Amino acid sequence: HVQLVESGGGSVQAGGSARLTCVFSGNTYSAKCMGWFRQVPGKEREGVAAIYPGGGTTHYRAFARGRFTISKDNAKDTLYLEMRSLKPEDSGVYFCAAGWGHCDLQADFRAWGQGTQVTVSS
C-alpha cells in the first residue's frame, strides 16, 4: 500500500514563491517515477514535472521549465516542488504521484496524494 501526502499549498502573491512537499510511504521503493500534477476546475489534470528517483533525471512541462524545480530526498522519502515567479494561472490543486515503467510525464502513475491547493493572486 502506497501513501503520498502533500503539504505546502496556500495563498501567494503573483511573482512570489512556494514550495510543495510530498511525503511518501509504503511500497514506493520500486517506483520508477515521481511526479507533480495540477488541476484547475473545469480542466483536466496536467503534468507539471517528473523525476527519476534512481538518477535524478527530470522532465518539465513547458510552462514549468525555468520556474519550477522538482527534487527528491531519498533519505527522507520526500518529494519537493519549488515554484517561483508564480502567476495567477498557476493556481490549482497540486498532486504528487508515484509511477512505474518509464519515467516522464506519461509514466504509469498509479499512486496519488490527496492534493494541496495553491492560489496565486494578482
Side-chain angles (χ1 to χ4, degrees):
H1 180 63
V2 174
Q3 277 193 313
L4 301 98
V5 180
E6 304 94 335
S7 62
S11 297
V12 63
Q13 292 284 328
S17 301
R19 186 175 83 158
L20 305 183
T21 299
C22 173
V23 178
F24 48 91
S25 60
N27 187 22
T28 59
Y29 69 90
S30 63
K32 300 302 183 186
C33 202
M34 302 293 292
W36 286 98
F37 292 75
R38 69 184 187 186
Q39 187 167 23
V40 298
K43 292 188 177 181
E44 291 188 359
R45 185 160 52 191
E46 61 179 352
V48 177
I51 185 168
Y52 173 57
T57 301
T58 55
H59 303 269
Y60 294 93
R61 286 288 300 277
F63 67 79
R65 200 170 293 122
R67 297 191 300 128
F68 294 3
T69 302
I70 187 172
S71 61
K72 186 174 182 289
D73 186 331
N74 290 330
K76 295 181 179 179
D77 288 339
T78 303
L79 183 72
Y80 302 99
L81 184 68
E82 301 271 0
M83 304 184 291
R84 64 178 189 273
S85 301
L86 284 163
K87 306 172 183 179
E89 53 263 42
D90 292 317
S91 297
V93 179
Y94 283 71
F95 301 86
C96 64
W100 283 259
H102 67 285
C103 187
D104 57 27
L105 287 168
Q106 284 73 48
D108 181 19
F109 289 99
R110 287 182 252 150
W112 295 85
Q114 82 289 348
T116 185
Q117 176 71 45
V118 174
T119 302
V120 184
S121 56
S122 57

